[in-house]
Amino acid sequence: MHTEKPSPSLIISTFIMFVGLSIGSAYFLISELGSLLSAVNSQLAHFNFEKFSLLGFGGFIGLCSFSVLTGAYLIGSPLQDYGQAIAIKIALAGLVIMIVGRIVGGYVIDYILISNGYQECRELIDMGPRHRLETWARSEDICEMLKSDGLQTQ
């Protein structure tokens, strides 16, 4: 059975997409965790944290696997069956890490923030299908102040 070879422009655009998404997911994770560490080290009275960013590590792993697959095809040396099988397993591991990492990472971050004297302002959580932006504060009074400020501006 003979399969038709994809066009070079399709291969290039797919490779660029996978590399861009890999870099984007790593940047999103590193940026959010950097902001979180900065807020805790600076002992800010309150800050926001996007828990969706915890998907970034697994996403980076999975997308890098697809980047390698398309990159090898792009340079004219596609991976053999064994290499493709490994790349697919790594991509699936990235998917599992996205799911498990988001759950476990969420508990770890909650624990770290609570042990550093922060509490989650539950009434200020902004949650949607692809995000969960949490507000953390040093006290209930700060949460109440943020809540009342938010209600007055809306």
Side-chain angles (χ1 to χ4, degrees):
M1 184 173 163
H2 179 63
T3 58
E4 199 172 307
K5 185 177 177 182
S7 70
S9 62
L10 177 64
I11 297 169
I12 291 170
S13 62
T14 303
F15 176 72
I16 290 171
M17 178 190 70
F18 283 135
V19 169
L21 289 172
S22 298
I23 293 169
S25 63
Y27 175 78
F28 187 44
L29 174 67
I30 292 168
S31 173
E32 279 294 314
L33 290 178
S35 295
L36 176 70
L37 289 173
S38 176
V40 171
N41 286 336
S42 300
Q43 297 184 351
L44 295 179
H46 65 87
F47 60 89
N48 294 325
F49 179 70
E50 176 61 67
K51 277 207 174 159
F52 183 72
S53 66
L54 296 174
L55 298 173
F57 183 61
F60 175 74
I61 291 172
L63 290 165
C64 279
S65 175
F66 288 125
S67 297
V68 168
L69 277 171
T70 56
Y73 202 89
L74 180 64
I75 62 173
S77 181
L79 298 178
Q80 300 303 317
D81 291 342
Y82 181 72
Q84 288 180 8
I86 290 173
I88 295 299
K89 287 176 185 174
I90 291 171
L92 290 173
L95 180 63
V96 170
I97 291 169
M98 282 175 69
I99 295 166
V100 173
R102 163 61 182 88
I103 294 167
V104 173
Y107 285 118
V108 169
I109 286 175
D110 289 353
Y111 174 78
I112 290 169
L113 292 175
I114 290 168
S115 66
N116 277 287
Y118 287 97
Q119 64 183 37
E120 184 179 23
C121 301
R122 295 202 181 272
E123 294 178 356
L124 297 174
I125 293 174
D126 180 16
M127 191 164 45
R130 292 181 192 87
H131 75 96
R132 179 183 170 106
L133 185 63
E134 297 178 346
T135 301
W136 290 82
R138 285 262 175 217
S139 70
E140 183 65 35
D141 293 338
I142 295 172
C143 287
E144 289 299 320
M145 180 192 70
L146 292 169
K147 181 181 160 191
S148 67
D149 286 349
L151 292 176
Q152 291 173 354
T153 59
Q154 290 179 356

PDB file of all heavy atoms in Angstrom, residues 54-67:
ATOM      1  N   LEU A  54      -0.410  24.703  35.315  1.00  0.00           N
ATOM      2  CA  LEU A  54       0.206  23.458  35.750  1.00  0.00           C
ATOM      3  C   LEU A  54       0.134  22.367  34.676  1.00  0.00           C
ATOM      4  O   LEU A  54       0.804  21.345  34.781  1.00  0.00           O
ATOM      5  CB  LEU A  54      -0.444  22.968  37.044  1.00  0.00           C
ATOM      6  CG  LEU A  54      -0.248  23.899  38.244  1.00  0.00           C
ATOM      7  CD1 LEU A  54      -1.039  23.407  39.440  1.00  0.00           C
ATOM      8  CD2 LEU A  54       1.225  24.043  38.578  1.00  0.00           C
ATOM      9  N   LEU A  55      -0.658  22.588  33.651  1.00  0.00           N
ATOM     10  CA  LEU A  55      -0.704  21.653  32.528  1.00  0.00           C
ATOM     11  C   LEU A  55       0.532  21.800  31.642  1.00  0.00           C
ATOM     12  O   LEU A  55       0.803  20.953  30.799  1.00  0.00           O
ATOM     13  CB  LEU A  55      -1.959  21.898  31.679  1.00  0.00           C
ATOM     14  CG  LEU A  55      -3.307  21.697  32.363  1.00  0.00           C
ATOM     15  CD1 LEU A  55      -4.422  22.156  31.443  1.00  0.00           C
ATOM     16  CD2 LEU A  55      -3.491  20.254  32.767  1.00  0.00           C
ATOM     17  N   GLY A  56       1.272  22.878  31.834  1.00  0.00           N
ATOM     18  CA  GLY A  56       2.381  23.219  30.951  1.00  0.00           C
ATOM     19  C   GLY A  56       3.493  22.200  30.875  1.00  0.00           C
ATOM     20  O   GLY A  56       4.054  21.973  29.808  1.00  0.00           O
ATOM     21  N   PHE A  57       3.839  21.561  31.974  1.00  0.00           N
ATOM     22  CA  PHE A  57       4.956  20.621  31.964  1.00  0.00           C
ATOM     23  C   PHE A  57       4.631  19.400  31.108  1.00  0.00           C
ATOM     24  O   PHE A  57       5.407  19.000  30.236  1.00  0.00           O
ATOM     25  CB  PHE A  57       5.339  20.207  33.387  1.00  0.00           C
ATOM     26  CG  PHE A  57       6.530  19.292  33.445  1.00  0.00           C
ATOM     27  CD1 PHE A  57       7.761  19.698  32.964  1.00  0.00           C
ATOM     28  CD2 PHE A  57       6.410  18.016  33.960  1.00  0.00           C
ATOM     29  CE1 PHE A  57       8.861  18.854  33.008  1.00  0.00           C
ATOM     30  CE2 PHE A  57       7.502  17.168  34.009  1.00  0.00           C
ATOM     31  CZ  PHE A  57       8.727  17.587  33.534  1.00  0.00           C
ATOM     32  N   GLY A  58       3.480  18.803  31.353  1.00  0.00           N
ATOM     33  CA  GLY A  58       3.070  17.649  30.547  1.00  0.00           C
ATOM     34  C   GLY A  58       2.859  18.029  29.096  1.00  0.00           C
ATOM     35  O   GLY A  58       3.203  17.272  28.179  1.00  0.00           O
ATOM     36  N   GLY A  59       2.290  19.205  28.877  1.00  0.00           N
ATOM     37  CA  GLY A  59       2.097  19.688  27.517  1.00  0.00           C
ATOM     38  C   GLY A  59       3.424  19.863  26.805  1.00  0.00           C
ATOM     39  O   GLY A  59       3.565  19.509  25.632  1.00  0.00           O
ATOM     40  N   PHE A  60       4.401  20.390  27.508  1.00  0.00           N
ATOM     41  CA  PHE A  60       5.733  20.571  26.939  1.00  0.00           C
ATOM     42  C   PHE A  60       6.327  19.226  26.513  1.00  0.00           C
ATOM     43  O   PHE A  60       6.848  19.091  25.410  1.00  0.00           O
ATOM     44  CB  PHE A  60       6.644  21.267  27.953  1.00  0.00           C
ATOM     45  CG  PHE A  60       8.062  21.396  27.502  1.00  0.00           C
ATOM     46  CD1 PHE A  60       8.413  22.327  26.531  1.00  0.00           C
ATOM     47  CD2 PHE A  60       9.049  20.590  28.033  1.00  0.00           C
ATOM     48  CE1 PHE A  60       9.726  22.452  26.100  1.00  0.00           C
ATOM     49  CE2 PHE A  60      10.361  20.701  27.617  1.00  0.00           C
ATOM     50  CZ  PHE A  60      10.698  21.641  26.648  1.00  0.00           C
ATOM     51  N   ILE A  61       6.223  18.230  27.375  1.00  0.00           N
ATOM     52  CA  ILE A  61       6.778  16.901  27.064  1.00  0.00           C
ATOM     53  C   ILE A  61       6.090  16.295  25.840  1.00  0.00           C
ATOM     54  O   ILE A  61       6.741  15.832  24.908  1.00  0.00           O
ATOM     55  CB  ILE A  61       6.658  15.965  28.287  1.00  0.00           C
ATOM     56  CG1 ILE A  61       7.605  16.439  29.385  1.00  0.00           C
ATOM     57  CG2 ILE A  61       6.958  14.517  27.902  1.00  0.00           C
ATOM     58  CD1 ILE A  61       7.436  15.726  30.700  1.00  0.00           C
ATOM     59  N   GLY A  62       4.761  16.304  25.846  1.00  0.00           N
ATOM     60  CA  GLY A  62       4.020  15.724  24.730  1.00  0.00           C
ATOM     61  C   GLY A  62       4.255  16.450  23.426  1.00  0.00           C
ATOM     62  O   GLY A  62       4.469  15.832  22.376  1.00  0.00           O
ATOM     63  N   LEU A  63       4.238  17.760  23.470  1.00  0.00           N
ATOM     64  CA  LEU A  63       4.426  18.549  22.251  1.00  0.00           C
ATOM     65  C   LEU A  63       5.859  18.459  21.725  1.00  0.00           C
ATOM     66  O   LEU A  63       6.077  18.485  20.515  1.00  0.00           O
ATOM     67  CB  LEU A  63       4.022  19.999  22.501  1.00  0.00           C
ATOM     68  CG  LEU A  63       2.520  20.206  22.675  1.00  0.00           C
ATOM     69  CD1 LEU A  63       2.230  21.573  23.283  1.00  0.00           C
ATOM     70  CD2 LEU A  63       1.794  20.036  21.355  1.00  0.00           C
ATOM     71  N   CYS A  64       6.834  18.330  22.622  1.00  0.00           N
ATOM     72  CA  CYS A  64       8.221  18.136  22.174  1.00  0.00           C
ATOM     73  C   CYS A  64       8.361  16.813  21.428  1.00  0.00           C
ATOM     74  O   CYS A  64       9.102  16.725  20.448  1.00  0.00           O
ATOM     75  CB  CYS A  64       9.182  18.176  23.355  1.00  0.00           C
ATOM     76  SG  CYS A  64       9.596  19.836  23.883  1.00  0.00           S
ATOM     77  N   SER A  65       7.646  15.807  21.886  1.00  0.00           N
ATOM     78  CA  SER A  65       7.684  14.520  21.205  1.00  0.00           C
ATOM     79  C   SER A  65       7.173  14.653  19.771  1.00  0.00           C
ATOM     80  O   SER A  65       7.790  14.144  18.831  1.00  0.00           O
ATOM     81  CB  SER A  65       6.833  13.509  21.981  1.00  0.00           C
ATOM     82  OG  SER A  65       6.758  12.288  21.295  1.00  0.00           O
ATOM     83  N   PHE A  66       6.064  15.364  19.601  1.00  0.00           N
ATOM     84  CA  PHE A  66       5.538  15.582  18.256  1.00  0.00           C
ATOM     85  C   PHE A  66       6.466  16.488  17.435  1.00  0.00           C
ATOM     86  O   PHE A  66       6.574  16.332  16.221  1.00  0.00           O
ATOM     87  CB  PHE A  66       4.131  16.164  18.304  1.00  0.00           C
ATOM     88  CG  PHE A  66       3.095  15.174  18.752  1.00  0.00           C
ATOM     89  CD1 PHE A  66       2.263  15.455  19.814  1.00  0.00           C
ATOM     90  CD2 PHE A  66       2.958  13.949  18.114  1.00  0.00           C
ATOM     91  CE1 PHE A  66       1.300  14.542  20.229  1.00  0.00           C
ATOM     92  CE2 PHE A  66       2.005  13.028  18.520  1.00  0.00           C
ATOM     93  CZ  PHE A  66       1.183  13.320  19.583  1.00  0.00           C
ATOM     94  N   SER A  67       7.146  17.408  18.109  1.00  0.00           N
ATOM     95  CA  SER A  67       8.116  18.261  17.410  1.00  0.00           C
ATOM     96  C   SER A  67       9.256  17.426  16.843  1.00  0.00           C
ATOM     97  O   SER A  67       9.706  17.656  15.719  1.00  0.00           O
ATOM     98  CB  SER A  67       8.681  19.326  18.354  1.00  0.00           C
ATOM     99  OG  SER A  67       7.681  20.199  18.795  1.00  0.00           O
TER     100      SER A  67
END
